[in-house]
């Protein structure tokens, strides 16, 4: 790795770790979550941290790749902004679902999260196909999470 890339890679990795840590901090798998009815196809809880670790690694590489490939400084700023917004939405979903205990509201939020991932794929794909492809597993993962979120709402509503 060139010396020029050490700082952006370090910053991107630190930001991904911060988003992951904040998300993990607000995720409470305690009695409320355990008492929720879940669909038969709900994966074991142990798979979620493994999946998220892989997804965050891909997001980090995609962000660095897109930022480096951005044709202008304005495009690079858009990359940073889209990834920052997505990180905020990612943490917000966990906060709404687990801390506020509102899977119904979290489902509405996950749609916005999904759209933000799609926006990152479309925007980054204009100048970096590899960055866009690196984000596809994230979109798939959040699509699955949204379906699971919806199933939890259907099985447990009303909330609040």
């Amino acid at each position: 790795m060139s010396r020029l890339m050490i700082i952006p890679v370090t910053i991107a990795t630190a930001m991904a770790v911060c988003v992951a840590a904040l998300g993990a901090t607000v995720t409470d798998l305690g009695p409320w979550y355990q008492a929720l009815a879940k669909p038969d196809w709900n994966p074991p809880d142990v798979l979620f941290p493994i999946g998220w670790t892989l997804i965050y690694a891909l997001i980090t590489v995609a962000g660095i790749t897109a930022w480096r490939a951005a044709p202008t400084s304005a495009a690079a700023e858009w990359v940073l902004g889209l990834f920052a917004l997505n990180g905020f939405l990612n943490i917000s979903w966990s906060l709404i679902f687990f801390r506020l205990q509102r899977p119904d509201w979290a489902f509405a939020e996950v749609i916005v999260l999904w759209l933000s991932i799609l926006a990152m794929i479309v925007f980054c794909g204009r100048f970096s196909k590899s960055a866009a492809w690196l984000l596809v597993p994230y979109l798939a993962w959040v699509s699955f999470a949204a379906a699971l979120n919806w199933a939890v709402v259907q099985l447990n509503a009303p909330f609040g």
Side-chain angles (χ1 to χ4, degrees):
M1 177 182 327
S2 75
R3 291 175 48 176
L4 258 167
M5 285 307 299
I6 291 173
I7 292 174
V9 168
T10 302
I11 291 170
T13 302
M15 292 298 100
V17 168
C18 285
V19 169
L22 284 169
T25 300
V26 298
T27 299
D28 182 2
L29 301 181
W32 173 81
Y33 176 76
Q34 296 304 323
L36 288 173
K38 298 172 197 77
D40 294 338
W41 46 273
N42 185 61
D45 292 340
V46 71
L47 291 182
F48 288 97
I50 296 166
W52 276 115
T53 300
L54 294 170
I55 293 298
Y56 281 124
L58 292 172
I59 294 167
T60 302
V61 174
I64 294 165
T65 302
W67 178 77
R68 288 187 67 206
T72 65
S73 60
E77 288 177 16
W78 270 96
V79 168
L80 295 177
L82 287 170
F83 277 75
L85 173 63
N86 180 265
F88 171 79
L89 292 169
N90 192 304
I91 294 165
S92 296
W93 182 89
S94 295
L95 182 67
I96 295 166
F97 189 98
F98 291 104
R99 292 294 172 167
L100 298 180
Q101 299 179 350
R102 292 302 303 249
D104 50 347
W105 294 353
F107 181 73
E109 198 277 352
V110 82
I111 293 169
V112 179
L113 173 61
W114 190 93
L115 289 170
S116 78
I117 301 165
L118 185 61
M120 290 190 314
I121 291 170
V122 170
F123 185 78
C124 295
R126 293 179 181 167
F127 47 86
S128 176
K129 299 295 182 215
S130 58
W133 279 109
L134 286 165
L135 292 168
V136 170
Y138 182 28
L139 187 68
W141 182 262
V142 170
S143 297
F144 176 77
L148 187 57
N149 188 156
W150 180 249
V152 167
V153 169
Q154 294 300 301
L155 292 169
N156 296 278
F159 297 95

